[in-house]
Amino acid sequence: MIRFIKTKDYADMSRKAANIIGAQVVSKPNCVLGLATGSTPIGTYERLVEGYENGDLDFSKVTSVNLDEYRGLTHDNDQSYYWFMNHHLFSKINIDKNNTYVPDGTIEDAEAACKQYDEIVRKSGGQDLQLLGMGHNGHIGFNEPCDKFVKDTNCVNLTQSTIDANARFFASKEDVPTQAYTMGIGTIMQAKKVLVVVSGADKADIVEKAFFGDITPQVPASILQLHEDVVVVGDEAAFAKIADRI
Ligand code: GLP
């Protein structure tokens, strides 16, 4: 089942999403959080840091498993998702760094890297809450439109549209890695609860397709229609095409 929470703007979306994650941490201090990168969750992480700083949130027993990582980027590369998570969240809260996991983009052997990560997620006990952003083509993690839903962690070739969209973070388009390791759709779907954050008019089309269109691997996020506990927190602009149906 999908519930929609319409918010005024990005700041409001970020507060409400952080409240949902915060409630998870308060109600189960040793929970497993599935975390996401991209620009959309940055405000959510800022609010979580605030929650920690004012004493409302204690992350000391939390474990985190991130969705994805560029293949080939080292941990000190400021475009790696490892770096992103440390910069935006882990270094600013009291989570135990030993309990934070991001797929290891430095492992060259793709099969070994993916196997190792699946084992990490399995050993963690699985995500109590999985945070997701969504790409313009409906990708979640880095699961790109495809002719099947891939279950486990896998190595993907990024589509040109994703490379173009992410180029804004790199010095040039040529610097954007062309491959990534990503949790599979099955690994995402096993989360007990899924929280999707979407913001901006440029996401309005894909929000409609993903949550009201056909369930198809060509729109990876559409699989979420089959999950029993999904909350989509989005601002008015992102919900523009579904406003009369929620
Ligand atoms: C990247 C990430 C996704 C993210 C997507 C959307 O490709 N791998 O996890 O959801 O970008 O990013 P943004 O939130 O910047 O639109």
Side-chain angles (χ1 to χ4, degrees), residues 4 21 40 46 72 95 97 114 117 119 138 148 157 166 192 194 227:
F4 296 89
I21 299 171
T40 315
E46 283 169 1
I95 197 165
K97 278 288 297 291
C114 295
Y117 201 65
E119 190 56 18
K148 60 177 184 185
N157 296 320
N166 289 342
K192 294 194 185 78
V194 176
H227 193 284

Side-chain angles (χ1 to χ4, degrees), residues 16 22 52 57 61 64 79 90 117 135 144 155 186-187 200 208 213 220 240:
K16 293 201 163 79
Y52 163 68
L57 297 176
K61 298 193 177 71
S64 72
Q79 291 311 324
F90 301 153
Y117 201 65
E144 296 278 31
C155 179
T187 321
E208 182 185 32

